Amino acid sequence: MALIGAFKRLLGDTAVLTREQDLAGITEDWRGRFRAPALCAVLPANTEQVASIVRLCVENGTPVLPQGGNTSLCGGATPSELSKPPVIILLTRMRRIRSIDPVNNTMVVDAGCVLATIQETAAAADRLYPVSLGAEGSCQIGGNIATNAGGTGVLRYGNTRDNVLGLEVVLPDGSIWDGLSALRKNNTGYDLKHLFIGSEGTLGIITGAVLKLHPLPKAEAVAWLAVDDPQRALDMLGLFQAACSSRLSAFELMNARQIELVLEKVPGRRCPVERIDTWHVLVELSDTGNAEQLAATMQAVLERALEDGVISDGVVAASEAQRKAMWLVRHSVSEANKKAGVGLTSDTAVPVSAVPSFIEGAMAAVHAIVPDLPFVIVGHMGDGNIHLIPFFTFAEWDALGDRDAVAQRIRRAMNDVASSLRGTFSAEHGVGRTLTGEMSRYKPPVELTLMRAVKQAFDPKDLFNPGRVLPSPSIATSHRGD
Amino acid sequence: MALIGAFKRLLGDTAVLTREQDLAGITEDWRGRFRAPALCAVLPANTEQVASIVRLCVENGTPVLPQGGNTSLCGGATPSELSKPPVIILLTRMRRIRSIDPVNNTMVVDAGCVLATIQETAAAADRLYPVSLGAEGSCQIGGNIATNAGGTGVLRYGNTRDNVLGLEVVLPDGSIWDGLSALRKNNTGYDLKHLFIGSEGTLGIITGAVLKLHPLPKAEAVAWLAVDDPQRALDMLGLFQAACSSRLSAFELMNARQIELVLEKVPGRRCPVERIDTWHVLVELSDTGNAEQLAATMQAVLERALEDGVISDGVVAASEAQRKAMWLVRHSVSEANKKAGVGLTSDTAVPVSAVPSFIEGAMAAVHAIVPDLPFVIVGHMGDGNIHLIPFFTFAEWDALGDRDAVAQRIRRAMNDVASSLRGTFSAEHGVGRTLTGEMSRYKPPVELTLMRAVKQAFDPKDLFNPGRVLPSPSIATSHRGD
C-alpha cells in the first residue's frame, strides 16, 4: 500500500510494523479486552518524523492513534473497530531525557520516556518527580500526560496536570507546537497545554514535555490506623491536614473485607493492627526536614486522636522494614482482589466531605440490585477518590444470568449516586472507549458542545484517535436534563 | 435605544447606567491611561441575568465587556476605541459566598466577590485562600480568574489557576456552563476550566467559581539577607528549598537602588541589615507546625550560608513587629518608585536558573540605548518573575526627546533578552490591549493559530472583549520566525 511505502521511505523498513505477529501486542490492550486491526505501527525517532507521519495520514484520510506503554484501563490506546484501521504511532524510540535543570526544578523529556526512568533521573539529581502509579515500570510519560495520570502522590503533589509546565505537540495538520516553556508564571493568552493534557490523543500527539520537579523528601513517617467508620477516617484526615499541611503525602482508606482478602490471598502479608473488623487507614508524612521531628508530629496527632476516640487503634512504623510492610499490604490489593473473585470497580471521585455519603448511598443502590453483595473498598481518601468494588466470588459470578447487564446496572447505580453528590465516574482512568456512554449520561449538554467545538477546531477531519473521549452527537442524551 | 430599554425591563432602571457621570469611573482604567465610550454599564444580580444580557447583546451585534474591580494594569477591563462601544457587565452585585466546605477545603463564590472578602471568609473557617496581591481590597475574584492573577503566594501555592477547581461561565451564545466541580480528580474529557482561566473575558464571562482552600499556617519566620549578586541569591534559594520544601513561602529579591529609594522616599522605613550597597532578599517560611521549630530551621540555614559565604549578612525577625517592618520595606516599593521618578517596569519571567543572565543581559541591552541608566530591580525570585525597572528621574524623563519611542525601544530590548532565555513578556499582568503587539512578536505562529481557532470556536462573532489578548491576524509577524 502506498502509505506504508511512504512510511518505509521516511523511517526505514524496520520502523514500520505490518506483520500480524509484530502487531499482536500493539493492537490489543494489556488486559486482552479490546482488539481491532491497525493498518500498521510506526516507530518515529524524533518529533519531525511524527509530524511527517501525521501529514501522510491526513493526506490519506487515515486515522492516527498514538500509543505509549499500552497500559490504558479503558481501551484508550488500541484501535477501535468503529473507525478505519489506524496508523499506530509508537513513541518508544523517543526516550531521551533532553535536559535537567535542578535550579529551575525542571526536566525536559521525550514523550516515550518510561515513568520510572524519569523518577530515577530526578532522584539522581536529588529531586522528586512525584507522579507514581502501578504501571510506572512500563507506562510512558506521553501517555501519562495525555490521560492526566493520577496515582498515590496526588494528595500532596497533584495529578500529572499539576506537574507539567510545557509541552511539544504534533497537531492534526502536521505542524509542531513548541510549547516547551519552563516558566512558573506566564500570562500570555490561552493555556493550550491544559487542553492537551487529558485529551487522550484526540487533539494532538504529545512528543515532548517540561516536567516540574520537587525537593526530594529525606524523611518519612508511616502509620496504620483502625477507625470505626468512614466518617471517623474523614475526621482523622482533618486532624492531619491541620497539623501537617503538605507534609501529609498519603491517606489511603481500606475496609475490613479488603484487608481480609489481602491476608487470605497474598502470602507473607500481615495486618499491622490487632482488630481486622474495622476500617483501615494507611497514612504517610514526608518531609525534607529531620525524621525525628516528623515521627514526633505523627505520634502527637495519633495520641490526641486515640484520646478523643477518633481512632480505635494506631501503629507507627518503627523502622524502614515496618514502613515497607505497611505499604506492601496496600500495594497487594490488586493482586488479592484478582485472585479472590470478580470485582466491578468504580473509579469514583466525590468531594472529600461526601465520601461517607457516597459509600453508604452507593452500597444501598447496589444492594437494591443484588441484596447483601459484599463490598471491597479501597481509595485515595485524601483526594475523594474511592474505588468501590461490589465483589463476587468466581462461583457467584459464573452462576449469574446476564453478567454484562448486571455489571452495567451495578456500575450505573454507583455512578448515579456519585453524580448526585457532584462526583465523577472517572477520577483517574480517563474515558477512552469504554466510558463515552457515561459522558453522554453525566455531562451537561453545554459542556459536550464546548468539547466538540474544541475537537472540531483542532481536528476538523476527526482523524486523531476517533471515537474516544467524546460520544457521537447522535446518541448524546443528558442525565441531568432528564 | 432599544437595547437599553430591554436591559431596563430585564434588570430595572437603577441597574442600567447610561449617564456620563455614572460611567466615568467605569469607562476609564484606574491609572487614567485608557478611556473610550461604552453603550452602557449593566449590573446583573445573578447568573441568569448575565446570560439574558449576553443574548440581547448577541442579537444586537453589540460587544460585551465584563469588568471586575477595574484594576487591570494593561487596559484589559475598559472599552477600546477600536471596537463599537460595548455593554460593560459589572459583577459588583454578584458578591455572595455561596458555600464553604472546610472538610473538602473548598469555597463556592460569586464572581463579584472581592478578594479580601474571600481571604477573610476562609480565615474565619481556619483555612487559607492563598492568592494575595496589592489590589486585594478592591479586585474581584472573577477578574483574578479571568487574568490568572499571581501575587506573593505563587512560590508556595501557585497562581490563581492552581487554586480554582471549578467554574460557572456564561458563554458567547448566552448559555450557562455549570462547571462548578469541587473535585480533586476528574478525568472526563477536555479541561475547559483552564481555557477560561487567563482568557481575559474573550471566551466567556465567569460568574461563579469553586476555590481551593489550604490549612491556615500558624507559624511564620522571616529573615532579611544581604547577598553580593543575583547568583548568590539563587544559591540561597536552593538551600532553602532543600531544607524547607514547601514551607518556603516567599523569596523576594531587591537591588541596592530599590532599598535606597524606599529609605529616601517612604518615611519610617529602615533597612534591616547594615550594608545597603548589596542585593537584598526577604525570605519567609510558614507552617502549620510550631514556631520554634520553624525559627530553628531558619537559623540553621542562615548559619550555614554565612559560614559558606553565600550571604554576607542576615537578620531573623525576632518579633511580629520586626516581621511586619521587614515586609513593610518590600511593600513600600511601588510608593517609593512612584515618588522618585519614572520606571519602565518589565513583567518578565524566565526559568529561575536564568534570572542572573536575564538581569545582566537586559541591563546591557538597555544601556546600549541609554548608557549608564540606573536600574531598580524587584522580583519574586522564587518564581523567576523579575520586575526590571530602567529608572529615570522626573527631570531626566522630561528632558527626553521622544519619550514613547524610547520607552518602546527599552521595553522591547528587555523582552528580547527574556525571549532569548525562553522567558515571557507578561508573567502576571496579562495581555489586555497593551501587549497584543508583543503577542505577535514573541508567540510562535502555530500557537497564535491555535488560540485563534479556540476563539473562533467559542466566540465566532468576536463580540467578547474584542481586540484583547489576540493580535489581529493581519498584523501578526513572528519574532522567532524572523
Side-chain angles (χ1 to χ4, degrees), chain B residues 179-262:
Chain B
L180 290 172
S181 164
L183 304 177
R184 256 68 184 179
K185 290 170 106 172
N186 189 10
N187 279 344
T188 54
Y190 310 147
D191 196 318
L192 300 170
K193 162 190 79 203
H194 281 299
L195 259 188
F196 293 107
I197 300 172
S199 68
E200 304 186 24
T202 62
L203 300 179
I205 300 175
I206 295 162
T207 52
V210 182
L211 305 178
K212 209 190 274 183
L213 304 179
H214 302 263
L216 192 63
K218 299 292 162 72
E220 281 175 358
V222 175
W224 195 278
L225 319 178
V227 294
D228 286 346
D229 52 45
Q231 180 57 50
R232 285 200 175 76
L234 202 54
D235 297 343
M236 204 59 225
L237 176 64
L239 290 178
F240 273 111
Q241 285 175 327
C244 308
S245 190
S246 59
R247 276 178 293 261
L248 179 63
S249 51
F251 195 91
E252 303 280 311
L253 180 74
M254 289 151 278
N255 72 347
R257 189 73 198 115
Q258 179 63 82
I259 302 302
E260 287 163 6
L261 290 187
V262 168

Side-chain angles (χ1 to χ4, degrees), chain B residues 24-37 67 70-81 334 337-339 341-347 389-391 394 397 403-404 407-408 411 429 431 433-435 468:
Chain B
I26 296 164
T27 52
E28 184 173 45
D29 75 303
W30 65 285
R31 296 189 299 181
R33 298 192 187 179
F34 307 103
R35 184 185 176 79
Q67 188 181 91
N70 193 8
T71 62
S72 174
L73 291 166
C74 44
T78 43
S80 159
E81 68 289 348
S334 297
N337 296 353
K338 203 171 166 182
K339 285 181 180 168
V342 176
L344 302 173
T345 311
S346 83
D347 181 25
I389 317 177
F391 208 84
F394 291 114
W397 183 249
R403 289 190 284 267
D404 282 354
Q408 166 81 350
R411 287 187 204 280
H429 298 167
V431 176
R433 58 182 293 178
T434 60
L435 296 176
R468 311 306 162 85

Side-chain angles (χ1 to χ4, degrees), chain A residues 101 104 186 246-247 352-353 424, chain B residues 101 104 186 246-247 353 424:
Chain A
D101 179 349
N104 194 44
N186 188 11
S246 59
R247 276 179 292 261
V352 176
S353 50
T424 180
Chain B
D101 180 348
N104 194 44
N186 189 10
S246 59
R247 276 178 293 261
S353 49
T424 181

Side-chain angles (χ1 to χ4, degrees), chain A residues 299-317:
Chain A
Q299 203 65 47
V301 175
L302 292 193
E303 277 167 17
R304 194 180 137 196
L306 266 169
E307 265 173 40
D308 294 354
V310 183
I311 59 176
S312 57
D313 197 1
V315 176
V316 182

Side-chain angles (χ1 to χ4, degrees), chain A residues 101-105 126-127 147-152 154 156-157 159 161-162 171 173 175-200 202-203 212 215-216 218 234 237-238 241-247 287-289 293 297 349-354 380 382-385 421-431 439 443-444 446-455 457-458 468-470 480, chain B residues 101-105 126-127 147-152 154 156-157 159 161-162 171 173 175-200 202-203 212 215-216 218 234 237-238 241-247 287-289 293 297 349-354 380 382-385 421-431 439 443-444 446-455 457-458 468-470 480:
Chain A
D101 179 349
V103 176
N104 194 44
N105 283 304
D126 200 32
R127 296 292 181 275
T147 58
N148 185 29
T152 55
V154 176
R156 174 160 181 176
Y157 297 102
N159 296 284
R161 180 183 300 288
D162 304 298
L171 301 167
D173 67 355
S175 62
I176 299 168
W177 173 48
D178 175 357
L180 290 172
S181 164
L183 304 177
R184 254 70 183 178
K185 290 171 105 171
N186 188 11
N187 279 346
T188 54
Y190 309 147
D191 197 318
L192 300 170
K193 164 189 77 203
H194 280 299
L195 259 189
F196 292 107
I197 299 173
S199 67
E200 304 188 23
T202 62
L203 300 179
K212 208 190 274 184
L216 192 64
K218 298 294 160 71
L234 203 54
L237 176 65
Q241 286 176 326
C244 308
S245 190
S246 59
R247 276 179 292 261
D287 195 7
T288 52
Q293 273 180 20
T297 304
V350 291
V352 176
S353 50
H380 315 295
D383 316 316
N385 182 191
L421 296 164
R422 295 213 65 145
T424 180
F425 56 91
S426 187
E428 53 181 6
H429 297 168
V431 177
M439 290 288 282
K443 286 282 178 184
V446 168
E447 188 165 332
L448 289 175
T449 301
L450 283 178
M451 288 188 190
R452 287 200 181 96
V454 170
K455 172 71 173 175
F458 279 56
R468 312 307 163 84
V469 180
L470 289 170
R480 293 204 181 160
Chain B
D101 180 348
V103 176
N104 194 44
N105 284 302
D126 201 31
R127 296 292 181 274
T147 58
N148 185 30
T152 55
V154 176
R156 174 160 182 177
Y157 297 101
N159 297 284
R161 179 182 299 289
D162 304 297
L171 301 168
D173 66 356
S175 61
I176 299 169
W177 173 49
D178 174 357
L180 290 172
S181 164
L183 304 177
R184 256 68 184 179
K185 290 170 106 172
N186 189 10
N187 279 344
T188 54
Y190 310 147
D191 196 318
L192 300 170
K193 162 190 79 203
H194 281 299
L195 259 188
F196 293 107
I197 300 172
S199 68
E200 304 186 24
T202 62
L203 300 179
K212 209 190 274 183
L216 192 63
K218 299 292 162 72
L234 202 54
L237 176 64
Q241 285 175 327
C244 308
S245 190
S246 59
R247 276 178 293 261
D287 196 7
T288 52
Q293 274 180 20
T297 305
V350 291
V352 176
S353 49
H380 315 294
D383 315 316
N385 183 190
L421 296 165
R422 296 213 63 146
T424 181
F425 56 90
S426 185
E428 56 182 3
H429 298 167
V431 176
M439 289 290 281
K443 286 282 180 185
V446 168
E447 189 165 330
L448 290 176
T449 301
L450 284 178
M451 288 187 189
R452 287 199 183 96
V454 170
K455 171 72 172 173
F458 281 55
R468 311 306 162 85
V469 180
L470 290 169
R480 293 202 182 164

Side-chain angles (χ1 to χ4, degrees), chain A residues 167-380:
Chain A
L167 289 181
E168 178 188 80
V169 180
V170 172
L171 301 167
D173 67 355
S175 62
I176 299 168
W177 173 48
D178 175 357
L180 290 172
S181 164
L183 304 177
R184 254 70 183 178
K185 290 171 105 171
N186 188 11
N187 279 346
T188 54
Y190 309 147
D191 197 318
L192 300 170
K193 164 189 77 203
H194 280 299
L195 259 189
F196 292 107
I197 299 173
S199 67
E200 304 188 23
T202 62
L203 300 179
I205 300 174
I206 294 163
T207 52
V210 182
L211 305 178
K212 208 190 274 184
L213 305 179
H214 302 262
L216 192 64
K218 298 294 160 71
E220 281 175 359
V222 175
W224 194 278
L225 318 178
V227 294
D228 287 344
D229 53 44
Q231 181 57 49
R232 286 200 174 77
L234 203 54
D235 297 343
M236 204 60 226
L237 176 65
L239 290 178
F240 273 111
Q241 286 176 326
C244 308
S245 190
S246 59
R247 276 179 292 261
L248 179 62
S249 51
F251 195 91
E252 303 281 311
L253 180 74
M254 289 152 279
N255 72 344
R257 189 76 197 112
Q258 179 64 80
I259 301 302
E260 287 163 6
L261 289 187
V262 169
L263 301 183
E264 281 168 26
K265 299 294 176 185
V266 186
R269 302 290 174 268
R270 51 175 295 280
C271 183
V273 291
E274 283 186 18
R275 282 182 55 200
I276 294 179
D277 63 333
T278 60
W279 291 74
H280 299 251
V281 172
L282 172 67
V283 57
E284 183 190 78
L285 308 180
S286 58
D287 195 7
T288 52
N290 76 54
E292 291 73 33
Q293 273 180 20
L294 205 63
T297 304
M298 176 71 93
Q299 203 65 47
V301 175
L302 292 193
E303 277 167 17
R304 194 180 137 196
L306 266 169
E307 265 173 40
D308 294 354
V310 183
I311 59 176
S312 57
D313 197 1
V315 176
V316 182
S319 64
E320 177 64 19
Q322 284 185 15
R323 275 200 291 279
K324 280 196 175 152
M326 287 182 183
W327 269 113
L328 261 181
V329 175
R330 171 65 184 87
H331 285 145
S332 299
V333 151
S334 298
E335 184 185 342
N337 296 353
K338 203 171 166 182
K339 286 180 179 168
V342 175
L344 302 174
T345 311
S346 83
D347 182 25
T348 309
V350 291
V352 176
S353 50
V355 166
S357 306
F358 168 69
I359 292 175
E360 192 184 337
M363 286 177 67
V366 172
H367 283 157
I369 302 169
V370 185
D372 304 324
L373 187 64
F375 275 82
V376 172
I377 301 175
V378 54
H380 315 295

